[in-house]
Amino acid sequence: DRLLSEDDAFEGLLSTSNRPRRPTDQEGRDDDLVREEEYRAIAASGDFFMDNEIFGRHYGYRRSQIESILARGKVPLALVYTPVVDQFIAQNPGTHALFLEPVDLDLLKKRMINRGEDAATVTKRMAGIVDELDAFKRHRALFADVIQVKDNTAAQEVIERVAARYQLNTALR
């Protein structure tokens, strides 16, 4: 969020999803939420360069959105589920992948609860974290940076590394 709000070099790439809206979702900041029928229509049109089922919901990134961001001279910033990061990078050579490695899985659980996830979803997602960490190990070579997340202070380290890589304004450092 800080990268997007404090430096105009970046623009968020929103995934399109058929997942239910969360109480904390904000239009234009979180996933582009659509009904199942609309999601299928977008997929059928061929606009997705990535289309995956994750935790029983579909998530895709649109070619048209990434092309639009690049055409404006901006750097697309996206959150990508680790088991499919190889697909994302294959479609977008030159991607700088950064992995936030959780040291304390309880921190992730607390974040899900704080953003309004129900207990069944939290349990399902926590089980999926094992798959995500296994995928990280398989795809480790794809990540240019790895930051261990011990608490909420990891955000500053992310900002500093990205700011240095892209030679961004000093306000971010």
Side-chain angles (χ1 to χ4, degrees):
D1 289 342
R2 263 187 73 196
L3 284 172
L4 294 172
S5 67
E6 294 184 27
D7 197 293
D8 64 0
F10 294 97
E11 187 170 326
L13 181 63
L14 296 179
S15 64
T16 299
S17 178
N18 67 342
R19 73 167 174 79
R21 182 171 298 282
R22 297 178 188 126
T24 57
D25 283 338
Q26 292 181 16
E27 191 69 36
R29 191 194 79 179
D30 298 300
D31 295 331
D32 174 27
L33 302 175
V34 298
R35 292 184 323 277
E36 178 67 29
E37 306 78 43
E38 186 178 355
Y39 191 94
R40 280 185 267 158
I42 296 165
S45 76
D47 193 21
F48 288 133
F49 67 83
M50 270 185 71
D51 176 19
N52 295 284
E53 185 176 336
I54 302 168
F55 301 116
R57 298 294 181 182
H58 289 273
Y59 293 82
Y61 282 105
R62 298 183 193 206
R63 283 183 179 84
S64 57
Q65 186 186 28
I66 200 166
E67 289 167 0
S68 175
I69 292 170
L70 292 170
R72 288 191 296 280
K74 305 264 185 180
V75 177
L77 188 62
L79 297 174
V80 179
Y81 185 57
T82 307
V84 297
V85 73
D86 58 328
Q87 293 175 34
F88 189 93
I89 291 171
Q91 293 291 321
N92 299 283
T95 293
H96 180 91
L98 177 135
F99 185 77
L100 301 176
E101 183 178 19
V103 173
D104 180 4
L105 297 184
D106 282 337
L107 179 64
L108 296 176
K109 185 175 182 177
K110 288 175 190 169
R111 285 182 180 168
M112 284 185 256
I113 292 167
N114 289 341
R115 71 177 184 214
E117 299 286 355
D118 61 71
T121 301
V122 170
T123 299
K124 186 176 184 179
R125 300 274 318 265
M126 291 303 294
I129 288 171
V130 172
D131 293 338
E132 191 154 359
L133 292 172
D134 287 345
F136 167 67
K137 290 172 188 166
R138 285 191 313 276
H139 298 306
R140 174 60 182 96
L142 297 175
F143 291 93
D145 282 307
V146 177
I147 296 175
Q148 289 193 335
V149 179
K150 300 175 188 91
D151 54 32
N152 289 322
T153 63
Q156 185 59 37
E157 187 174 351
V158 170
I159 295 294
E160 289 169 3
R161 287 198 193 184
V162 173
R165 170 157 173 77
Y166 288 98
Q167 301 171 353
L168 301 177
N169 73 52
T170 54
L172 289 173
R173 295 181 185 206

